[in-house]
Coordinates of all heavy atoms in Angstrom, one line a residue:
A43 N 345.2 56.6 29.1 CA 344.0 56.0 28.8 C 343.3 55.3 30.0 O 342.9 54.1 29.9 CB 344.2 54.9 27.6
A84 N 331.2 52.9 7.5 CA 332.3 53.4 6.6 C 333.3 54.1 7.6 O 334.5 54.0 7.3 CB 331.7 54.5 5.7
E98 N 351.4 47.4 9.9 CA 352.4 47.1 8.8 C 353.7 47.9 9.0 O 354.7 47.4 8.6 CB 351.7 47.4 7.5 CG 350.5 46.5 7.1 CD 349.7 47.0 6.0 OE1 349.8 48.2 5.6 OE2 348.9 46.2 5.4
L102 N 352.4 49.6 15.7 CA 351.6 48.9 16.6 C 352.0 47.4 16.7 O 352.6 46.9 15.7 CB 350.1 48.9 16.2 CG 349.4 50.2 16.4 CD1 347.9 50.1 15.9 CD2 349.3 50.6 17.9
F117 N 319.8 40.2 18.5 CA 318.9 39.2 18.9 C 317.6 39.9 19.4 O 317.6 40.8 20.2 CB 319.5 38.4 20.1 CG 318.6 37.4 20.7 CD1 318.2 36.3 20.0 CD2 318.1 37.5 22.0 CE1 317.3 35.3 20.5 CE2 317.3 36.6 22.6 CZ 316.9 35.5 21.8
F140 N 327.2 45.4 4.0 CA 326.6 44.4 4.9 C 326.3 43.1 4.2 O 325.5 42.3 4.6 CB 325.3 45.0 5.5 CG 325.5 46.2 6.4 CD1 325.5 47.5 5.8 CD2 325.9 46.1 7.7 CE1 325.8 48.6 6.6 CE2 326.1 47.2 8.5 CZ 326.0 48.5 7.9
P157 N 324.8 29.7 21.9 CA 324.4 28.6 22.8 C 324.0 29.0 24.2 O 323.0 28.5 24.7 CB 325.5 27.6 22.8 CG 326.7 28.4 22.3 CD 326.2 29.4 21.4
L158 N 324.7 29.9 24.8 CA 324.3 30.4 26.1 C 323.0 31.0 26.2 O 322.2 30.8 27.1 CB 325.4 31.3 26.6 CG 325.6 31.5 28.2 CD1 326.1 30.2 28.8 CD2 326.5 32.7 28.5
V180 N 337.5 45.3 20.7 CA 338.7 46.2 20.7 C 339.0 46.6 22.1 O 338.2 47.1 22.8 CB 338.4 47.4 19.8 CG1 339.7 48.3 19.7 CG2 337.9 47.1 18.5
N188 N 349.6 51.7 23.2 CA 350.6 51.4 22.2 C 350.9 52.5 21.3 O 352.0 52.7 20.8 CB 350.2 50.1 21.5 CG 350.4 48.8 22.2 OD1 351.6 48.5 22.5 ND2 349.4 48.1 22.5
Q194 N 356.4 58.0 21.7 CA 357.6 58.3 22.6 C 358.9 57.8 22.0 O 360.0 58.3 22.4 CB 357.3 57.5 23.9 CG 356.3 58.2 24.8 CD 356.0 57.4 26.1 OE1 355.8 56.2 26.1 NE2 356.1 58.1 27.2
G241 N 341.0 66.6 23.8 CA 340.5 65.2 23.6 C 340.3 64.6 25.0 O 340.8 63.5 25.2
G244 N 334.9 63.6 28.9 CA 334.0 64.5 29.6 C 334.6 65.8 30.1 O 333.9 66.8 30.4
V272 N 329.7 41.5 35.2 CA 330.8 40.8 34.6 C 331.0 39.4 35.2 O 330.8 39.2 36.4 CB 332.1 41.6 34.9 CG1 333.3 40.9 34.4 CG2 332.0 43.0 34.4
K275 N 333.9 33.4 35.1 CA 334.0 31.9 35.3 C 334.2 31.2 34.0 O 333.3 31.3 33.1 CB 332.7 31.4 36.0 CG 332.6 31.9 37.5 CD 331.5 31.1 38.2 CE 331.5 31.4 39.6 NZ 330.5 30.6 40.4
M283 N 330.7 33.2 22.6 CA 331.7 34.0 21.9 C 331.1 34.9 20.9 O 331.0 34.6 19.6 CB 332.7 33.0 21.2 CG 334.0 33.7 20.6 SD 334.9 34.6 21.9 CE 336.3 35.2 20.9
L313 N 332.8 37.7 30.2 CA 331.5 38.1 29.7 C 331.1 39.4 30.4 O 331.3 39.6 31.6 CB 330.5 37.0 29.9 CG 330.6 35.7 29.1 CD1 329.4 34.8 29.4 CD2 330.8 36.0 27.6
F318 N 324.0 49.3 32.5 CA 322.9 49.8 33.3 C 323.3 51.3 33.6 O 324.3 51.6 34.1 CB 322.9 49.1 34.7 CG 322.5 47.6 34.5 CD1 323.5 46.6 34.4 CD2 321.2 47.2 34.4 CE1 323.2 45.3 34.2 CE2 320.9 45.8 34.2 CZ 321.9 44.9 34.1
L343 N 322.5 77.9 30.4 CA 321.5 77.5 31.4 C 320.1 77.2 30.9 O 319.5 76.2 31.2 CB 321.5 78.6 32.5 CG 320.7 78.3 33.8 CD1 321.2 77.0 34.4 CD2 320.6 79.4 34.8
I346 N 320.0 73.9 29.0 CA 320.1 72.8 29.9 C 318.7 72.6 30.6 O 318.3 71.4 30.8 CB 321.2 73.0 31.0 CG1 322.6 72.9 30.4 CG2 321.1 72.0 32.1 CD1 323.7 73.3 31.3
W387 N 327.9 36.6 38.8 CA 328.2 37.9 38.2 C 328.5 39.0 39.2 O 327.9 39.0 40.3 CB 326.9 38.3 37.4 CG 326.6 37.4 36.3 CD1 326.0 36.2 36.4 CD2 327.0 37.6 34.9 NE1 326.0 35.6 35.2 CE2 326.6 36.4 34.2 CE3 327.6 38.6 34.2 CZ2 326.7 36.2 32.8 CZ3 327.8 38.4 32.8 CH2 327.3 37.2 32.2
K408 N 318.5 71.1 23.1 CA 318.3 69.7 22.6 C 319.4 68.8 23.1 O 320.6 69.3 23.3 CB 318.1 69.6 21.1 CG 319.4 69.9 20.3 CD 319.1 69.6 18.8 CE 320.4 69.9 18.0 NZ 320.2 69.5 16.6
P466 N 343.8 54.2 2.8 CA 343.7 54.2 1.3 C 342.4 54.7 0.7 O 342.4 55.1 -0.5 CB 343.9 52.7 1.0 CG 344.7 52.2 2.1 CD 344.3 53.0 3.3
Q470 N 337.5 59.1 -0.8 CA 336.5 58.4 -1.6 C 335.4 57.9 -0.7 O 335.5 57.8 0.5 CB 337.3 57.2 -2.3 CG 338.4 57.7 -3.2 CD 339.2 56.5 -3.7 OE1 338.8 55.8 -4.6 NE2 340.4 56.3 -3.1
D475 N 331.2 53.2 -3.4 CA 332.1 52.4 -4.2 C 332.3 51.0 -3.6 O 333.2 50.8 -2.7 CB 333.5 53.1 -4.3 CG 334.4 52.4 -5.4 OD1 334.3 51.3 -5.7 OD2 335.3 53.1 -5.9
L478 N 335.8 49.3 -4.1 CA 336.8 49.8 -3.2 C 336.7 49.3 -1.7 O 337.6 48.9 -1.1 CB 336.7 51.4 -3.2 CG 337.7 52.1 -2.2 CD1 339.1 51.9 -2.5 CD2 337.3 53.6 -2.1
L479 N 335.4 49.3 -1.3 CA 335.1 48.7 0.1 C 335.6 47.3 0.2 O 336.3 47.0 1.2 CB 333.6 48.8 0.3 CG 333.2 48.0 1.6 CD1 333.6 48.8 2.8 CD2 331.7 47.8 1.6
D495 N 340.1 34.8 5.7 CA 339.5 34.1 4.5 C 338.5 35.0 3.7 O 337.8 34.4 2.9 CB 338.8 32.8 5.0 CG 339.8 31.8 5.6 OD1 340.9 31.8 5.1 OD2 339.4 31.2 6.6

Side-chain angles (χ1 to χ4, degrees):
E98 292 166 346
L102 285 177
F117 176 68
F140 298 89
L158 200 68
V180 187
N188 279 301
Q194 288 178 307
V272 179
K275 289 192 171 184
M283 189 58 175
L313 292 185
F318 297 94
L343 187 58
I346 290 173
W387 299 78
K408 66 174 180 175
Q470 302 172 78
D475 191 335
L478 174 64
L479 169 73
D495 298 322

